[in-house]
Amino acid sequence: MTMSARSASLPRVVVVTTGGTIAGASSSSTGGAYTAGVLGADALLAAVPELSQVARVQAEPLFAMDSADFTDVHLLQLARRVAALAQRADVDGIVITHGTDTLEDSAYFLHLTLKTAKPVVFTAAMRPATALGADGPRNLYEAVCVAACPRAAGLGALVVMNGAIWSGRDVIKRDAAQVHAVQSPYGPLGWVADGGPRFYRAPCRPHTLASAFDATAIQALPPVAVVAAYGGMDATAHEALAARGVRAIVHAGWGTGTAPAALAPAWARLQAAGIWLVRTSRTGSGPLPRERSPGWLCADDQSPSQARLLLALGLTQTQQGAALQALFDRY
Ligand code: SIN
């Protein structure tokens, strides 16, 4: 096969860029402050000429931002853009470059709301593109290798970083500095080896085509907030959020998602005002016992930010406590 015949038969992968450290630049190659999201999509691709050996890659700039600035509006925009790309017959897989800080939120949201079996792979970097030993180019290469592979289809949104492949269902950023920043309590789904994915397990909870949610059918997400527990906490933050119209508050509690007993009257007032309270754990893993707090929803093993997104999606479809709890039990 000639070179051009071979490249014409390669899978077609679109790289949607949203910013983050992977597109970050600094005046120093050895450390110090940098600005996230300043490198354009074409520059990101140009830094990895090896991409042309594994896929026909096309850049699709969407945002150029620090992921800390993502809102629910950005999440919906991203999901809708990826949904539209996934519908195209000339697209075999999609890669999304993203900041690591809220990567897990976007990956989980697309895992739940995309109606496609095509590979959708997030990637990111801990070192800006100008750094000595930048991890972005290799992460981008490996993400494209995974997105170009039919074996990555039907697994929901994936995250590829530092050679590992994670499920969008439970990936979490667990390190503020190292290139192996993202993890999952359940370990990776597989690894990237010899220019492709090697999978060892698959997500068993519903996602994408089996999920009840479709980003293209949602106009806006209802406001759901997260409040972290601390010793001696009071309900000032909760009351302020209630006054601003939140529909639910996710409590990032200790251990099994515990909350101070002294706040029982405040919880009762919030519930009487129609605000859902959700118990989650700041420990980062482990299924929570369901029966502990009557009237509260229990987030099973979901992190506070995952619970926030799942509940916001659930509230677009139901206001029934049993149906909302069933979402946490199922997803
Ligand atoms: C960001 O999340 O946009 C900045 C931090 C990072 O990408 O590591």
Side-chain angles (χ1 to χ4, degrees):
M1 201 189 279
T2 64
M3 194 70 151
S4 60
R6 189 181 126 64
S7 59
S9 67
L10 289 175
R12 292 148 303 184
V13 173
V14 177
V15 177
V16 179
T17 58
T18 71
T21 296
I22 193 167
S26 164
S27 55
S28 161
S29 62
T30 53
Y34 66 92
T35 310
V38 294
L39 240 69
D42 290 334
L44 279 188
L45 298 188
V48 195
E50 295 82 355
L51 290 174
S52 65
Q53 294 162 22
V54 290
R56 286 173 280 166
V57 177
Q58 184 196 318
E60 176 98 1
L62 180 59
F63 307 130
M65 58 196 286
D66 192 309
S67 75
D69 295 324
F70 258 66
T71 64
D72 292 349
V73 173
H74 294 103
L75 280 181
L76 277 168
Q77 278 179 329
L78 173 63
R80 287 196 202 110
R81 179 68 73 94
V82 174
L85 289 168
Q87 290 301 317
R88 277 174 34 187
D90 64 343
V91 173
D92 299 308
I94 296 154
V95 167
I96 301 146
T97 62
H98 201 289
T100 59
D101 285 352
T102 65
L103 172 73
E104 66 209 54
D105 290 22
S106 296
Y108 186 51
F109 191 72
L110 269 62
H111 188 71
L112 291 177
T113 63
L114 288 179
K115 294 290 161 219
T116 184
K118 289 183 184 175
V120 173
V121 183
F122 283 78
T123 196
M126 291 298 287
R127 298 179 184 140
T130 49
L132 192 63
D135 50 334
R138 188 175 185 100
N139 287 344
L140 177 57
Y141 173 75
E142 294 190 333
V144 170
C145 289
V146 174
C149 178
R151 281 183 288 108
L155 294 174
L158 302 172
V159 173
V160 168
M161 266 190 89
N162 202 35
I165 309 168
W166 306 93
S167 170
R169 195 229 167 225
D170 40 52
V171 68
I172 293 190
K173 184 174 180 182
R174 278 265 162 255
D175 194 293
Q178 308 301 317
V179 293
H180 57 270
V182 301
Q183 295 168 23
S184 159
Y186 307 108
L189 298 182
W191 304 95
V192 185
D194 300 329
R198 287 199 199 160
F199 289 106
Y200 299 93
R201 61 185 191 88
C204 66
R205 301 246 175 165
H207 57 76
T208 53
L209 295 173
S211 157
F213 307 109
D214 178 352
T216 63
I218 298 171
Q219 296 311 311
L221 290 176
V224 176
V226 179
V227 177
Y230 57 92
M233 74 186 294
D234 62 21
T236 308
H238 306 75
E239 311 281 9
L241 288 164
R244 291 199 52 195
V246 291
R247 303 272 302 285
I249 298 174
V250 175
H251 173 74
W254 301 281
T256 55
T258 48
L263 293 189
W267 307 142
R269 280 196 302 277
L270 292 165
Q271 287 169 324
I275 295 169
W276 293 103
L277 297 173
V278 190
R279 203 154 48 81
T280 65
S281 174
R282 70 176 191 180
T283 60
S285 64
L288 305 187
R290 294 201 177 102
E291 305 305 333
R292 185 139 300 170
S293 322
W296 287 56
L297 300 169
C298 167
D300 191 23
D301 68 335
Q302 304 220 348
S303 72
S305 57
Q306 290 170 324
R308 183 185 83 81
L309 292 171
L310 181 57
L311 186 56
L313 285 168
L315 287 168
T316 65
Q317 296 188 353
T318 181
Q319 314 303 313
Q320 302 298 317
L324 292 170
Q325 181 59 55
L327 293 177
F328 288 112
D329 299 343
R330 181 154 184 257
Y331 289 87

